[in-house]
Amino acid sequence: MQPLPIPCPAAQIPDATGMDAFSAAYRAAREQHAVFVAVERHGPGWTVKADALTAPRHSIGTVVHEAVRAAVSRLVRSRQIRQDSSAGPVYFLLYDVGSEQRARELAAALHAALYGDLGPLDRAVPH
């Protein structure tokens, strides 16, 4: 698997559906020391996953973490994701996203945010 750009654009977010695909994407992120990001198909919906444990030298600042938590709260309130979705602090899960395109958009925005660029997250999940 080729290294992903940082931050990763929506079209290049890995589809980690299935154990082999997930393992390959996670291993690639760990080898690159990059924050893991992927989408997975689960029944009719999609899940967005991000994990900062693959980037041991990367830290997520308080401002970023608060912005991600607020965006996840807005997504839950608008019923775009399930209530049991997780907003970190290290592992992020957005369950039951309605389409692959939306899942990729959210994954790319989350990945950019975790690298300090909150613009894509603000556009993907407006206030």
Side-chain angles (χ1 to χ4, degrees):
M1 186 171 218
Q2 283 189 301
L4 296 175
I6 298 172
C8 188
Q12 292 181 276
I13 299 289
D15 180 344
T17 303
M19 187 54 73
D20 290 343
F22 175 84
S23 295
Y26 197 86
R27 183 175 40 258
R30 191 175 59 236
E31 288 171 359
Q32 190 181 352
H33 302 284
V35 173
F36 167 78
V37 65
V39 296
E40 290 183 8
R41 182 160 185 83
H42 289 278
W46 288 81
T47 298
V48 173
K49 293 184 174 184
D51 185 352
L53 290 175
T54 54
R57 292 183 283 275
H58 182 73
S59 63
I60 300 168
T62 302
V63 170
V64 167
H65 187 254
E66 289 175 2
V68 170
R69 285 182 42 170
V72 170
S73 292
R74 289 192 302 278
L75 290 167
V76 168
R77 279 194 311 275
S78 65
R79 296 189 174 134
Q80 293 184 56
I81 61 174
R82 284 191 342 219
Q83 289 183 343
D84 61 339
S85 295
S86 172
V90 176
Y91 195 68
F92 305 82
L93 291 166
L94 308 180
Y95 292 117
D96 279 351
V97 177
S99 70
E100 179 181 6
Q101 180 180 351
R102 181 64 169 150
R104 288 180 177 283
E105 176 188 24
L106 291 172
L110 176 59
H111 200 239
L114 295 176
Y115 278 99
D117 182 0
L118 297 175
L121 188 62
D122 286 339
R123 288 188 295 280
V125 188
H127 299 265

